[in-house]
């Protein structure tokens, strides 16, 4: 049995890889401004400032797009909870700089989406704010994880988020919604790439430990879920609309990353790693090598 590396040892051993990936991420990522995607000319005052409050007939978005963007706001605006959960594991050197960068990118998504929804009156802003307050008050907590688990689940979560936003763009609701959704998806894809690169590096450093973490996070994987104002689950609604279906996670989220990491073709695993790999074998499609 190989000696397990502690989280501190892994943080130190992977620090240079984090720094290199962060530099590459910043160089690759497009600079964009959230205000550019908001049609400010469409805005007008609400009753508090002498205007007119929201009415359902003011929205020009279809229900699916309304729900998809509302879920996007609630998840992105719950950033303090996600920042806390990621940051408590990565509070050192280049790791902490990455947490800052990731947080800033996610916050930009929330700013853009919420401004668009309120300015265009696409959804009831009072209901949105009440849901936002409730969702953020409840917060988000996950069981304590080790570093390798954090990296693996983050790679999966960002890939899943990118798929959700790409499918929202594919609705063709209107050019702005399409552009916003594609913009967010591009960020999510780069973020997933960052985490996936670190999992790659960890596999070379501690293959058994890393495959174990991957298997554990595959078994526990679930995307963030929001309970909407009418009591419906965002997971159910978005699955029915074809925006994001958990039933397709093995095909669209998990298997592509497992293939990228060469999980099923590695030759450097001991008995512990082989056991974890066996647990993942059910995800392989018939066409897999």
């Amino acid at each position: 049995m190989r000696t397990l590396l502690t989280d501190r040892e892994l943080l130190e051993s992977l620090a240079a890889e984090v720094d290199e990936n962060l530099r590459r991420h910043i160089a690759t990522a497009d600079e964009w401004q959230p205000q550019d995607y908001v049609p400010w000319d469409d805005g007008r005052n609400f009753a508090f400032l002498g205007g007119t409050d929201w009415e359902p007939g003011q929205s020009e978005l279809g229900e699916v797009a309304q729900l998809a963007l509302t879920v996007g706001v609630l998840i992105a605006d719950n950033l303090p909870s996600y920042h806390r959960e990621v940051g408590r594991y990565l509070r050192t050197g280049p790791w902490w700089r990455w947490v800052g960068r990731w947080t800033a990118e996610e916050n930009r998504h929330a700013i853009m989406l919420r401004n668009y929804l309120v300015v265009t009156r696409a959804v009831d802003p009072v209901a949105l704010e009440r849901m936002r307050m409730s969702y953020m008050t409840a917060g988000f907590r996950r069981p304590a994880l080790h570093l390798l688990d954090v990296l693996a689940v983050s790679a999966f979560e960002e890939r899943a988020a990118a798929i959700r936003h790409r499918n929202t763009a594919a609705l063709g609701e209107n050019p702005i919604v399409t552009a916003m959704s594609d913009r967010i998806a591009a960020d999510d894809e780069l973020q997933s790439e960052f985490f996936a690169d670190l999992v790659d590096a960890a596999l070379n450093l501690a293959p058994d430990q890393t495959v174990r973490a991957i298997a554990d996070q595959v078994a526990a994987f679930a995307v963030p879920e929001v309970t909407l104002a009418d009591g419906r689950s965002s997971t159910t609604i978005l699955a029915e609309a074809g925006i994001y279906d958990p039933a397709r996670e093995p095909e669209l989220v998990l298997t592509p990353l497992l293939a990228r990491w060469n999980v099923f073709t590695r030759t450097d695993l001991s008995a512990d790693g082989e056991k974890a790999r066996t647990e993942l074998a059910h995800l392989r499609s018939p066409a897999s090598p």
Side-chain angles (χ1 to χ4, degrees):
M1 179 182 295
R2 294 172 179 169
T3 302
L4 298 180
L5 297 177
T6 66
D7 284 346
R8 179 175 293 277
E9 289 170 332
L10 288 164
L11 283 168
E12 293 172 353
S13 298
L14 293 170
E17 191 76 24
V18 175
D19 190 55
E20 179 182 343
N21 275 273
L22 178 55
R23 292 175 188 275
R24 182 167 62 247
H25 178 90
I26 293 173
T28 304
D30 294 330
E31 181 181 23
W32 61 275
Q33 304 299 324
Q35 68 272 11
D36 288 344
Y37 291 79
V38 181
W40 300 101
D41 283 346
D42 291 355
R44 58 191 188 278
N45 290 343
F46 291 95
F48 184 78
L49 293 179
T52 304
D53 278 340
W54 184 86
E55 297 175 358
Q58 295 171 354
S59 177
E60 296 181 358
L61 288 189
E63 183 185 23
V64 174
Q66 289 182 39
L67 289 170
L69 297 184
T70 295
V71 170
V73 169
L74 296 177
I75 292 174
D77 239 2
N78 205 19
L79 188 59
S81 291
Y82 296 112
H83 174 91
R84 180 187 64 238
E85 287 298 302
V86 174
R88 66 173 167 157
Y89 300 104
L90 310 178
R91 301 182 66 88
T92 179
W95 294 94
W96 187 236
R97 291 194 294 275
W98 163 248
V99 172
R101 173 71 189 203
W102 175 83
T103 300
E105 291 182 357
E106 292 296 315
N107 190 42
R108 187 162 54 184
H109 300 165
I111 291 168
M112 176 177 65
L113 288 173
R114 188 171 185 276
N115 282 345
Y116 173 83
L117 291 175
V118 173
V119 166
T120 64
R121 299 185 176 231
V123 300
D124 181 351
V126 175
L128 178 64
E129 182 63 9
R130 287 173 177 167
M131 283 190 289
R132 192 184 71 85
M133 292 292 289
S134 175
Y135 193 57
M136 291 184 68
T137 300
F140 168 80
R141 294 295 298 270
R142 60 164 40 116
L145 299 175
H146 289 291
L147 176 62
L148 298 177
D149 296 283
V150 173
L151 299 180
V153 72
S154 296
F156 292 136
E157 285 178 342
E158 293 299 347
R159 182 176 176 87
I163 291 168
R164 176 164 55 85
H165 289 296
R166 289 292 185 201
N167 286 336
T168 301
L171 290 172
E173 185 70 30
N174 67 47
I176 295 178
V177 170
T178 298
M180 287 194 305
S181 301
D182 277 335
R183 179 63 269 167
I184 295 173
D187 282 359
D188 291 337
E189 286 160 358
L190 278 180
Q191 291 167 356
S192 181
E193 184 82 6
F194 181 94
F195 287 114
D197 281 346
L198 293 184
V199 173
D200 262 330
L203 280 163
N204 293 329
L205 182 66
D208 292 328
Q209 243 177 301
T210 307
V211 174
R212 176 74 271 163
I214 292 169
D216 288 344
Q217 294 314 308
V218 164
F221 186 68
V223 296
E225 184 172 72
V226 174
T227 300
L228 301 171
D230 59 8
R232 292 181 298 172
S233 159
S234 62
T235 299
T236 301
I237 299 302
L238 295 181
E240 291 174 351
I243 300 296
Y244 187 86
D245 186 354
R248 299 192 66 190
E249 280 173 351
E251 169 196 357
L252 300 177
V253 178
L254 307 176
T255 298
L257 282 169
L258 296 180
R260 177 217 170 101
W261 295 325
N262 299 313
V263 167
F264 296 114
T265 58
R266 303 189 71 87
T267 59
D268 55 358
L269 300 179
S270 70
D272 290 338
E274 290 290 357
K275 182 176 183 297
R277 178 157 63 183
T278 299
E279 295 171 21
L280 292 167
H282 70 284
L283 292 173
R284 302 180 72 180
S285 66
S288 298

